[in-house]
Amino acid sequence: HYTNADGLFGIIKDNAFHLTQRNFMNDAFEQAYSKRVLRKVLNSVYGKERARIEYTAVEDIFLKDNEDYVLSVSSEKDSIHQWNYYGKKDGYAIGISYGDLFNCVKKRYNSFAIGYVLYKESLQEEIIKMLISLMEEPDKTYESDGTRSHWLDAGLSIKSYTGLFKQINHLCENEFRFIVHDENVAKEFKPRNGIITPYKPLIFEQRIPIKSIIIGPRVEYKIAKNGIQQLFQKHGIENVKVEPSKIKIR
């Protein structure tokens, strides 16, 4: 998980990762992009007139901007693209296992989705087409046994999958996401990049199980490592490998 010094400090202090409300993510266009893909597929399947009606129904129920909260991680632990974003002498990469994150999300949240971000638009369109076809199937058992309808299941899947859609120019990020929808966990707020940002905490019961810290190439390594180690000692965090990025940036 890439972050800056303030983010790293907050994670250690709170013993938690912060899941950011999706419409406050770094990529300001991503929600508009995923909705554009959805509209494009609906138009191709239904034609513009019915597509507008179908999109409104799906958006009103499943695509409300303020319901999804996201934790973004990357399979690239020392990425020049990420360091360029956190390039203001301020970048850190927190190493943590998938299993530890998944178990914490599962314990804390009732409704969530996980997966690698999908960057290829043709694949995104095929997924939406498959889910739309599911919405069209007759619900023969719905009235008799009270099971959820195909339309509801497909709509929830559209909600989850569109949370994993990004443009192809973000492919280098190799991003994996944890997305929570749980209304039972109260949102909190913090200042971030000059904006008051809503988030939900992912709090660990034990000390947060950080495996490693990579200090970004523009950070003064020795003094940064000293500060991190003292912070870890204060909070009882042990056996964390702290090392410099192997990338050199002028």
Side-chain angles (χ1 to χ4, degrees):
H1 175 70
Y2 287 84
T3 188
N4 56 24
D6 288 340
L8 174 60
F9 179 78
I11 288 166
I12 301 306
K13 178 176 69 69
D14 296 344
N15 201 44
F17 285 97
H18 294 172
L19 289 82
T20 303
Q21 194 175 102
R22 191 179 172 211
N23 48 330
F24 285 78
M25 298 292 285
N26 293 329
D27 179 7
F29 185 60
E30 73 165 67
Q31 278 198 310
Y33 169 76
S34 62
K35 290 179 179 181
R36 181 181 68 77
V37 173
L38 177 57
R39 285 194 190 96
K40 179 181 177 182
V41 175
L42 288 171
N43 282 336
S44 69
V45 172
Y46 295 125
K48 289 186 178 181
E49 197 63 35
R50 183 179 169 189
R52 186 171 64 252
I53 297 170
E54 295 289 343
Y55 177 82
T56 300
V58 171
E59 183 180 46
D60 286 349
I61 298 174
F62 302 111
L63 300 180
K64 295 177 181 177
D65 290 343
N66 61 350
E67 288 187 348
D68 292 346
Y69 291 78
V70 179
L71 174 65
S72 295
V73 297
S74 174
S75 60
E76 301 292 328
K77 71 174 187 176
D78 192 7
S79 165
I80 190 169
H81 304 286
Q82 296 285 3
W83 295 134
N84 281 334
Y85 182 80
Y86 296 102
K88 304 171 184 176
K89 300 183 179 179
D90 206 14
Y92 298 85
I94 303 171
I96 188 167
S97 77
Y98 162 81
D100 289 331
L101 284 174
F102 175 78
N103 289 334
C104 189
V105 170
K106 185 178 179 182
K107 185 173 292 186
R108 294 287 178 182
Y109 290 93
N110 295 322
S111 177
F112 63 89
I114 59 174
Y116 278 100
V117 169
L118 305 172
Y119 303 98
K120 191 174 181 181
E121 188 167 341
S122 59
L123 175 59
Q124 296 164 358
E125 291 175 5
E126 286 302 314
I127 290 171
I128 296 296
K129 285 179 182 177
M130 179 269 293
L131 293 172
I132 289 173
S133 68
L134 177 60
M135 295 177 96
E136 292 293 302
E137 291 184 15
D139 296 312
K140 296 178 181 178
T141 62
Y142 181 59
E143 294 293 335
S144 59
D145 66 7
T147 57
R148 294 195 312 188
S149 70
H150 290 310
W151 191 87
L152 176 57
D153 284 335
L156 290 170
S157 296
I158 287 173
K159 176 184 180 71
S160 296
Y161 271 109
T162 55
L164 300 174
F165 289 178
K166 293 183 77 171
Q167 293 173 283
I168 191 67
N169 56 336
H170 292 277
L171 177 63
C172 60
E173 296 171 351
N174 286 324
E175 184 180 346
F176 189 94
R177 286 188 165 183
F178 297 81
I179 307 171
V180 303
H181 321 298
D182 197 341
E183 296 181 357
N184 296 320
V185 178
K187 63 184 172 184
E188 301 182 25
F189 299 87
K190 64 180 179 181
R192 180 173 175 266
N193 299 331
I195 296 171
I196 303 301
T197 302
Y199 72 94
K200 291 192 176 184
L202 180 62
I203 303 171
F204 289 80
E205 289 184 350
Q206 308 297 323
R207 287 310 314 171
I208 191 166
I210 294 174
K211 308 295 185 186
S212 64
I213 298 286
I214 296 178
I215 298 174
R218 289 195 173 101
V219 183
E220 190 177 341
Y221 172 67
K222 288 184 178 180
I223 193 169
K225 180 179 180 180
N226 188 352
I228 288 170
Q229 289 177 329
Q230 291 189 53
L231 179 67
F232 283 177
Q233 185 178 24
K234 173 180 172 61
H235 289 276
I237 299 174
E238 300 177 337
N239 302 318
V240 177
K241 183 179 182 180
V242 181
E243 59 183 328
S245 168
K246 293 180 172 60
I247 295 172
K248 304 300 179 184
I249 301 176
R250 293 186 185 277

